[in-house]
Amino acid sequence: MAGPDNSSESPGYGTDTGDNHLKSWFRSLSPTKVDIVGDFTGKERFAIHGEALLAHCLHAMKVDFDYGFQILHAVHSVETLLQRLHDRGCNFHVLWFNREYQLSIPTETPAGITYRYQLTRSILIEHFAHAQTDKQTVFSLVFPSLDSNSFAQYLQEHHPHFFLGSNGTTPWWTGGPQLLVPLSMLYRINLTGLHIACVENLEFKSSRAFLLVASPRGAQRPLNGDTRSPIPDTSFMEDNIQHRLGGLAKTHSLTAREIISLYSLAHVLANHALDASEGNEIGQHVKALLLQLVFMRHYNVSSRSFESRGLGLAFGSAANSFICSLYEPAQRILGSWSSGPFANSTWDAFDLFDGRLYLALLRSSHNIQLSCALHEEFIQLGGLLEQLCGYDATAKWPVDLTNTDGEEARLKISDPQPNQLVPSLSILPFSHPVLDKYLTSVHLRTDAVISSPVDHKVHKEMTHWHNKKPIDPKQPTKAPDFWARRRNQRFMADIIAYSASLTGASGKIIEPEIVVVRGSVERSRPVSRHALNKGKKQANSNIPLEISGAQYAQKEAERQPANRHALNKGKKQANSSIPLELSGAQYALQEVERRKEAKFKVKSLAIITSWEKRCLEFSKEASMVKRYLLVEKYLLGLSSDHLSVIGAEVSLYLCHILRQIQGRYNPDTLTHCHVLAMLWSRTQETAKMTMTKEVHTLVNRVSKSLELPHYKIPALLSERKLPFEFLDIASGGLLPPGKSSLDFQLGFCGPFFERSFDSAPDPRVPFEPDAWQRRVLDAIDENKSLLVIAPTSAGKTFISFYAMRKVLEANNDDVLVYIAPTKALVNQIAAEIQARFSKQYGQEARSVWAIHTRDYRINNVKGCQILVTVPDILQILLLAPSNAAGPTSFSRRIKRIVFDEVHCIGQSEDGIVWEQLLLLAPCPIIALSATVGNPLEFRDWLSNAQKAKGFDMEMVVHSSRYSDLRKFIHDPSPGTYEFEGLKPVERLPFPGLDSDCENPLPFSFIHPIAAILDRSRDTLNDASLEPRDCIELWKHMTKHKNGQYQVPKSLDPGKMLPLLQAVKKSDVTKWESALKDVLADWMLDPNSPFDEVRNDLRGERFARLSSTYNRPESIESPPPSQSGPMVSRRSIFSLVTDLRSHGALPVIIFNYDRVGCETVLRELYDTLGSAEAAYKQHDSKWLKKLAGFEEWKKRRERAKTKDTKIKQTKKTGSRDEDDDGAMSKGDRARDAANREMSVWDSFDPEAPLQQFSFADNTKLTQEELNTRLKSLRADAVRPWIRDALFRGIGVHHAGMNRQYRQIVEMLFRKGYLTVVVATGTLAMGLNMPCKTVVFTGDSVFLTALNYRQASGRAGRRGFDLLGNVVFHGLHPHRVFEIMSARLPDLRGQFPTSVTLILRLFILLHGTQNSEFAANAVKGLLTQSRLCLGGPDAKMSIAHHLRFSIDYLRRQHLLSENGVPLNFSGLVGHLYYTENAVFAFHTLLKDGYFHDLSTSNRSREDVILEIMLVLSHLFCRHALPQHKDKQFLERVHRSPCVGILPDLPQKASEVLERHNQQTLSIFQNYVSSYTNQHLTGMPDNCLPYTKYKVDYVDAQPTPDLSTVLPSTDAPRPPTVVRSPFSALSGFTDEFDTIHELCETVRAGVFLEESAVPYIPMAPKETNGVPWNAYLYDFFKHGDMEALKTVNMIKGGDIWYHLKDFSLILSSIVTSLANFLELPNADGDFGFEEEEEDDELDMADDDKPIFSGEEGNGIRNDVYGAPTPPPQKEQKKNKAKKEVVADSWDDENSDEESEKDTETANHGGDSSFDSASGYAEAPSWADDGGQSLMEVFRNFSVLRQEFEEKFRKTFA
């Protein structure tokens, strides 16, 4: 019986309107490609639509559901995908929906075949149910429908991170209404507020899983005509057959497969009366099915591969009809398996039916030779069937075909493990002294190679690859020219200005240290300039130690003649008191101290007098709040000398002011309590200072009133009268009524708690480090490697600078490299080094620091001691032979590498470079991060890597932030208001947004426990609690405790915390941990009071906010007298004004979309501007002031006219009697003075008014602001963005001009800008301290990692006691998801890529196999794990290495002895384009470009074809919209082709040959690895559930080829391909590398991204072509067309084009170096440009190589050196070319060698292609003439592309 028909109407469809609405919705999604683990989901759970998963896997893995019915292959394909997700750290649920079952069935599937998909679906559901019972983990759930209550409850409880469904683009969805069914599913999921993605876009690359994820689109209307298919009936009614079978199953130990088969057969046979002929035919099918059950008991899955013969189970065949009839009873018994009588049976229904085995048995039923044992089993099953339904299936079995005697001896025994080898290429011989020991485990057959007359060119780094500067010590270095020096000066000026805006942990400007190399006398620490002025020990370190104190006194007298008389007068007495045994240095110290004391006494009197005057001034301020702020600012500005004299009095004066303010409030109000908290904190701060006895008495009086302990006098000053009268304190104390001291402290004083954790003085640093910080210092001193994990503001910054100082003190040669993930952070770190350290070298080319990025360099990289760079550049430097050639070479001088933000190893794009660097590092490292999800695993991996190089590793973890973060949702009252300007804010600096008594508060507080969604301990551990959060949690836990779940009395705060002294942060941390231990037990049990506690903490406001969040806001009609703009209270502008009124500025507003950032900025700018325009138009005062200004201008013009007349009169000598020129000289001077003093001179009517600006004009003068903005070119940014700076608002994202971004950073740090809107560019470690961080707008990039990075900007150490985090425009559930999401585990990628292997050989060869190079190889190849987070597989690394070498040999890139050949330099320089560079190299090597360049075609055609080919190789983007009608219409109306034309035929043929050869190499790799390491390890285990597909026992069984006739015998077992895939008829022949990687057998590592090939469209891309955006741009140069037609995001266009520009430059430069083109002056001295400037930086703003790095000559590929700096020549300066990377000059110890050698080592050269060897390189055929033409064409192509590129972005 066939299953339910699949022709019911699609959900949500039936009208064109519904179809069009759904299509429009889908087009509007704009999904973003993300790594779902590292970039998006992390450890959080997401949902996979089961039906979509099944449909995708059946198609992608080519499961045979046509000829055969291969259920096991289907199950294996689904499990393979799930296991790949699991291996990458994904956490998921598979969700099945009974009403949507049809989504697993292809459209247009005949009704008689749909049963296969439905039965497979049912088996998978039950299979997963069994697996999760065994695993004790639920991962598969079934729901009636999307609209069911159970699914709604699931969403409420689990709230998956996103939903993975289908977009209906699987090719079997051929059209019709059904095509849109999957989209309707996604649409309805979108209505629930989830992110959505499509399984068709799932892409695995190394340890990453990529998806196109779309954010929720907000409220959408329901689909019309929402009719759905009925839910299939799977209910099971117990019958007689089932009852009888239950007893038989137990007696005979039947498995699930046998139970389901017998039950289905019995039902079919019992319910159908069969005539003789029909019965005979049915009998054959029954016997074949029973034989299949027997065979599947004994035969391994690897022996069940059959080829196709005949129709098979095609629709309409008798076999299909029979199997279809079994579907309904099988479906019924499966539907209730878990609750039925067979639930405890052995589960093997995942292998219920093998269609190909069944068909072979059916065809051979009369020729099968069964052994006695197998025949007995067949008879037994037939007997069971007869007992169930009365049908005798064994009656007509032909006895003569059964072996009865000794059959086991005569039959071939089946070997479950095949021993066959796949025919493949042999391995080319290879031997290398360094690599051989890593390849000893790889045993391969090599072929002798026939010698060839073709000579190969040995690659040698004789020059820098990016220019023709030789690496030769004899080559003189040219000094930089005028323009080079000018550019360096401007860049240095920028860095110095940038450094001046930086502040240290105390919030004060950083004071630089003068670092001196430690000599024989050990100094405690370097000298600061302040210390020098104070005369500390280091200041006199130049005094000869051997002279006496008396001698020094004499020298001192001679040195100071002005004081000689005074000194001589008292010299006798002075000298007589000097002990002769004192050294000169010791005496100098005593003398300095004596003079200092004398000066200080005089200075103290002046300090006290000044303070008394200021105190009198302060008392005249009527506003107590303003008075407090003025005094606080005065206190913060006091020097150390002033603090020691009057600090305690000033601090007490603040306490006095707070006492006055506190007295104005009712003791029951929150404001009163917060003022008291400030007084509590200020009192403790005062008690730490040096004070008089009177101050000490008053401090203890206040302390007593606050129930603080009595303070001892730290040091007494001489008595003096206070300049103010302290407000007396009542005897009853100051604490609020009804509150104990402990309650008060926990509830209000948390932000002021002492934050140290076992701190103690340490002479190594100028502060008292905590215990964990001292461990760090000890590890650095012991030269250990370090992994430090601590949150932002915890105190990690000092670690790097301590390590830097040690390197600077050690000598002048050692180098520390600081790795930062972004160029913005590189610039900041360099600026901070500039601000912190100063050192004298005495050599012009030496410096403390240097910057080296992909785009620019500052200072001499080789001459610095601290190099600040990005990961790619350090990798280039470490792998450059010139940097490791000699013992003093740059790489060998590196003593420490600091990896800041080391969690970037988890990034999908650059993470592999971080991983390779951690393995390559030749010295101890320091790895810093605040966000590591798996610290222990990361530590173990890193420790092993360091141990391999002889370095010990230590991990230090600190979990407490210095400043707590308080989170809020912006929740204002609804409605709009008229904005008429900002009002003055007068407010005490209370920490936190909710410290004011405003009601209702526009911010809804979020308790960290209230945000928990996933009830796991990891989530609880990640929740950070303030002291007030802890007390609230304890109260609610106590409230809801019950008999089973108690709160231990030991957790009472009165017992956990100190009662007689001030509570510290460390005390609360211990209490918090204990509370979490109890709460964790509650979370595990759904019946515990945890939900009640969480709901109480969420409060009623959350419930209201959740229910009303998506309701549209009613728009009020503006009042008729409106003069300002109407603003919604929920708008971002209202949020900023609310923050301002609560004293929460400055703020950084994060929006992870560049367009969104500028939209937010525009809203703020327009609102302020329009309000100001309305004010200026209507305000009478302003109009009057403007009229006065206009009158003044007129008077000034008249005065100028008079002055002009006077001057003219003097010249002509005539004078008009009526003229005012008769004024005397004095009169004119007075008149000019009056004009200069006019208030109108500084009045600018166009300048923003203060009430319409967020700028803090007190932090920066107008002159300073203009100076900053003067360096910013007018066309660098849009005018309104520049003007917004004057209103105190700015934007910061990667698409903005670099200079503008730096100005924004500096102005924000200065405090002038108070609002900055940014993407993630400000989240990564930048010093941008702010009080508040706002997240506005949802994004797939708003992840747990990015949230923690960005929120860490708030409450920075030294600035704020507390940070605020506010969510705006996000649903509350999404807010909770972001807050409670766990950090992703750091997972690496396979580190040994083919290009890296080649670059290692270049390093080995260039350094003559030096120890440095050998250690680099060791670091990469001795890891026990493939990658961080990967499995242990050392053997896989060795095999992959060996076959990568074989590939390089066949590509003529490597000799038999490991010498890099030919274009190996080009491939190495284009490493960042892997694997596209190998396709390009193949076209170059095989002569495609040569033939094209020497053809008779015009140069224009040749260039265009080269551009077409390169567009197929580099910077490719798929075009899934290639069939969309709207897209095609846009293309038709535009100059674009949109869809990239096919590759030229010859190029396509070359690349196909390359891919086939690569396929053979890596197929051979799998075969050899299998035979060497997987013998006896059959691939018979399902990958995810781990169920084994095996025979019953280990007894020998006859080979199937002896049981079945030869025509129906199975194929030989596969060796390379998985036997599960072979079930569908596949062999060890593969069409593509992708197919090889997808279906390779288990146990073999084969990562597709590590195989040197690229899939070619459309054959290897599922028919999806490439986007022609590069090709189109080259043809028309229209950027707008790329956005509208090619659909490239506007903010990404520049980056894509820049990447291609880098590639072109690399190709041209590498070809020029290969051809050894003569160029004495450096024709290829390409100059790097600033990537982020969008090519709009002025020529003289671009950096160059400094010192010995370059010669300052500016040339292009064709030109000559630039003439001397003359104005008319400067205008025509040639543009410098952009390159991808570079390395520097190094004086090598080697003698110069010839650049070209013959490389016939071992006869390695041209090979016979008929034997499978590579052909000779084409460049060698004509002496390089055709290659010269290739070079010329690429040069022209690059020049034309650059012209269009520069013109577009000019």
Side-chain angles (χ1 to χ4, degrees), residues 301-425:
V301 64
S302 61
S303 61
R304 285 163 40 188
S305 177
F306 296 87
E307 60 182 333
S308 303
R309 285 185 57 197
L311 294 177
L313 293 176
F315 177 64
S317 66
N320 179 70
S321 299
F322 173 73
I323 300 301
C324 182
S325 67
L326 302 175
Y327 160 73
E328 189 173 329
Q331 184 81 338
R332 285 205 307 271
I333 193 173
L334 279 169
S336 57
W337 186 271
S338 300
S339 58
F342 310 110
N344 295 325
S345 302
T346 301
W347 177 256
D348 59 358
F350 49 80
D351 194 13
L352 178 62
F353 182 74
D354 185 337
R356 288 177 175 259
L357 173 60
Y358 168 78
L359 291 169
L361 294 171
L362 183 64
R363 288 192 300 268
S364 308
S365 59
H366 295 291
N367 296 307
I368 297 176
Q369 299 184 8
L370 291 181
S371 65
C372 287
L374 297 182
H375 183 259
E376 288 177 3
E377 292 183 24
F378 171 76
I379 295 298
Q380 182 190 56
L381 291 175
L384 294 176
L385 181 62
E386 185 176 5
Q387 293 181 54
L388 293 174
C389 65
Y391 182 84
D392 185 4
T394 63
K396 299 181 180 180
W397 182 262
V399 180
D400 58 326
L401 295 181
T402 302
N403 292 281
T404 56
D405 297 314
E407 61 280 357
E408 285 79 1
R410 295 194 303 272
L411 296 177
K412 178 182 175 183
I413 302 301
S414 173
D415 184 0
Q417 175 61 36
N419 272 327
Q420 302 182 37
L421 281 173
V422 177
S424 58
L425 290 175

Side-chain angles (χ1 to χ4, degrees), residues 801-819:
F801 295 109
Y802 180 73
M804 292 176 190
R805 197 176 70 195
K806 285 187 69 69
V807 168
L808 292 173
E809 287 179 336
N811 51 54
N812 290 335
D813 298 319
D814 290 350
V815 176
L816 178 145
V817 180
Y818 191 101
I819 302 296

Side-chain angles (χ1 to χ4, degrees), residues 905-926:
I905 192 177
Q907 292 179 345
S908 57
E909 294 182 0
D910 299 328
I912 187 172
V913 181
W914 287 81
E915 186 166 6
Q916 290 169 350
L917 282 178
L918 288 168
L919 297 176
L920 284 170
C923 58
I925 66 169
I926 298 175

Side-chain angles (χ1 to χ4, degrees), residues 66 218 520 553 560 618 840 936 1095 1206 1549 1556 1720 1723 1731 1787:
D66 297 322
S520 57
Q560 301 184 35
F618 293 145
Q840 297 298 323
L936 296 179
N1095 290 336
I1206 292 171
E1549 292 172 355
Q1556 283 301 314
D1723 283 351
E1731 178 175 339
N1787 292 340

Side-chain angles (χ1 to χ4, degrees), residues 831-894:
E832 195 159 353
I833 296 170
Q834 170 70 27
R836 285 181 181 273
F837 300 115
S838 175
K839 184 176 180 180
Q840 297 298 323
Y841 290 96
Q843 300 178 29
E844 184 178 353
R846 301 304 305 276
S847 62
V848 171
W849 61 270
I851 287 178
H852 191 354
T853 71
R854 189 181 290 273
D855 308 298
Y856 61 95
R857 282 181 278 188
I858 302 176
N859 286 338
N860 183 359
V861 172
K862 295 298 182 58
C864 73
Q865 282 197 267
I866 303 173
L867 174 62
V868 189
T869 185
V870 290
D872 298 81
I873 297 302
L874 179 59
Q875 187 193 52
I876 292 167
L877 293 172
L878 291 178
L879 294 178
S882 60
N883 289 332
T888 61
S889 298
F890 176 78
S891 294
R892 299 197 186 188
R893 291 190 287 114
I894 299 176

Side-chain angles (χ1 to χ4, degrees), residues 89-391:
C90 293
N91 182 12
F92 52 81
H93 277 165
V94 181
L95 309 183
W96 308 86
F97 300 92
N98 288 333
R99 183 170 285 168
E100 285 75 20
Y101 72 91
Q102 59 183 356
L103 293 179
S104 62
I105 306 172
T107 56
E108 302 181 2
T109 300
I113 293 181
T114 58
Y115 73 90
R116 301 179 191 177
Y117 302 91
Q118 292 173 258
L119 183 59
T120 304
R121 174 183 177 274
S122 300
I123 289 173
L124 272 170
I125 291 173
E126 192 56 41
H127 174 58
F128 287 160
H130 268 268
Q132 62 195 20
T133 301
D134 296 339
K135 287 185 172 185
Q136 301 294 321
T137 302
V138 175
F139 64 90
S140 177
L141 300 165
V142 184
F143 301 97
S145 70
L146 270 177
D147 303 321
S148 61
N149 293 332
S150 57
F151 181 60
Q153 184 178 358
Y154 169 83
L155 293 178
Q156 184 70 22
E157 292 179 359
H158 297 278
H159 202 75
H161 212 69
F162 72 94
F163 185 88
L164 183 60
S166 171
N167 59 17
T169 59
T170 298
W172 66 17
W173 292 82
T174 54
Q178 291 282 348
L179 176 62
L180 298 176
V181 173
L183 294 187
S184 71
M185 186 89 171
L186 291 179
Y187 184 92
R188 288 151 61 196
I189 288 293
N190 179 251
L191 294 180
T192 67
L194 293 181
H195 292 83
I196 54 177
C198 301
V199 68
E200 290 84 359
N201 298 322
L202 181 59
E203 176 187 350
F204 295 104
K205 184 178 180 181
S206 189
S207 61
R208 315 295 177 197
F210 293 93
L211 271 174
L212 290 172
V213 180
S215 299
R217 299 289 296 176
Q220 300 283 338
R221 65 177 177 85
L223 294 173
N224 296 324
D226 196 8
T227 60
R228 299 181 181 84
S229 303
I231 299 176
D233 182 14
T234 58
S235 60
F236 181 76
M237 298 296 294
E238 186 172 344
D239 53 29
N240 292 331
I241 294 177
Q242 180 265 341
H243 181 73
R244 289 195 294 270
L245 184 57
L248 295 173
K250 292 180 180 179
T251 304
H252 297 277
S253 301
L254 299 179
T255 66
R257 175 174 59 225
E258 294 160 351
I259 292 171
I260 297 171
S261 298
L262 289 173
Y263 178 83
S264 302
L265 280 173
H267 262 279
V268 170
L269 295 173
N271 295 332
H272 292 80
L274 306 175
D275 57 28
S277 60
E278 185 181 6
N280 186 52
E281 182 178 355
I282 291 294
Q284 298 301 320
H285 292 289
V286 173
K287 291 175 183 176
L289 192 59
L290 293 178
L291 283 172
Q292 177 186 258
L293 293 177
V294 173
F295 279 44
M296 291 172 78
R297 284 180 175 179
H298 298 281
Y299 288 98
N300 198 304
V301 64
S302 61
S303 61
R304 285 163 40 188
S305 177
F306 296 87
E307 60 182 333
S308 303
R309 285 185 57 197
L311 294 177
L313 293 176
F315 177 64
S317 66
N320 179 70
S321 299
F322 173 73
I323 300 301
C324 182
S325 67
L326 302 175
Y327 160 73
E328 189 173 329
Q331 184 81 338
R332 285 205 307 271
I333 193 173
L334 279 169
S336 57
W337 186 271
S338 300
S339 58
F342 310 110
N344 295 325
S345 302
T346 301
W347 177 256
D348 59 358
F350 49 80
D351 194 13
L352 178 62
F353 182 74
D354 185 337
R356 288 177 175 259
L357 173 60
Y358 168 78
L359 291 169
L361 294 171
L362 183 64
R363 288 192 300 268
S364 308
S365 59
H366 295 291
N367 296 307
I368 297 176
Q369 299 184 8
L370 291 181
S371 65
C372 287
L374 297 182
H375 183 259
E376 288 177 3
E377 292 183 24
F378 171 76
I379 295 298
Q380 182 190 56
L381 291 175
L384 294 176
L385 181 62
E386 185 176 5
Q387 293 181 54
L388 293 174
C389 65
Y391 182 84

Side-chain angles (χ1 to χ4, degrees), residues 597-723:
E597 289 176 7
K599 288 181 180 179
F600 185 72
K601 289 180 181 179
V602 176
K603 188 177 180 181
S604 297
L605 296 176
I607 292 174
I608 294 170
T609 303
S610 174
W611 157 235
E612 290 173 348
K613 292 180 180 179
R614 292 301 304 271
C615 188
L616 183 61
E617 294 174 7
F618 293 145
S619 64
K620 294 178 182 179
E621 173 58 58
S623 169
M624 299 305 295
V625 173
K626 288 183 179 180
R627 188 188 302 182
Y628 179 89
L629 296 175
L630 288 171
V631 177
E632 184 181 49
K633 184 178 179 181
Y634 174 74
L635 176 63
L636 292 175
L638 293 178
S639 67
S640 57
D641 286 344
H642 285 68
L643 280 174
S644 63
V645 177
I646 62 172
E649 289 186 14
V650 179
S651 186
L652 184 66
Y653 188 49
L654 286 173
C655 295
H656 168 67
I657 298 172
L658 290 173
R659 280 282 294 112
Q660 292 178 293
I661 296 174
Q662 168 250 334
R664 299 180 180 181
Y665 293 98
N666 188 314
D668 295 329
T669 61
L670 287 176
T671 303
H672 176 268
C673 294
H674 287 294
V675 174
L676 272 184
M678 293 180 65
L679 178 60
W680 180 89
S681 173
R682 176 52 54 192
T683 302
Q684 293 187 83
E685 290 297 321
T686 309
K688 298 176 184 177
M689 300 177 179
T690 306
M691 63 186 75
T692 64
K693 188 172 183 179
E694 182 184 4
V695 173
H696 178 255
T697 303
L698 292 173
V699 167
N700 275 322
R701 188 181 303 171
V702 177
S703 300
K704 182 179 180 181
S705 68
L706 294 172
E707 298 185 14
L708 287 171
H710 182 84
Y711 294 107
K712 295 181 180 179
I713 302 178
L716 271 179
L717 296 173
S718 57
E719 284 301 314
R720 60 177 181 267
K721 185 179 179 181
L722 286 175

Side-chain angles (χ1 to χ4, degrees), residues 418-440:
N419 272 327
Q420 302 182 37
L421 281 173
V422 177
S424 58
L425 290 175
S426 300
I427 298 298
L428 296 181
F430 174 81
S431 178
H432 191 278
V434 174
L435 272 295
D436 284 349
K437 62 182 178 181
Y438 302 108
L439 301 174
T440 54

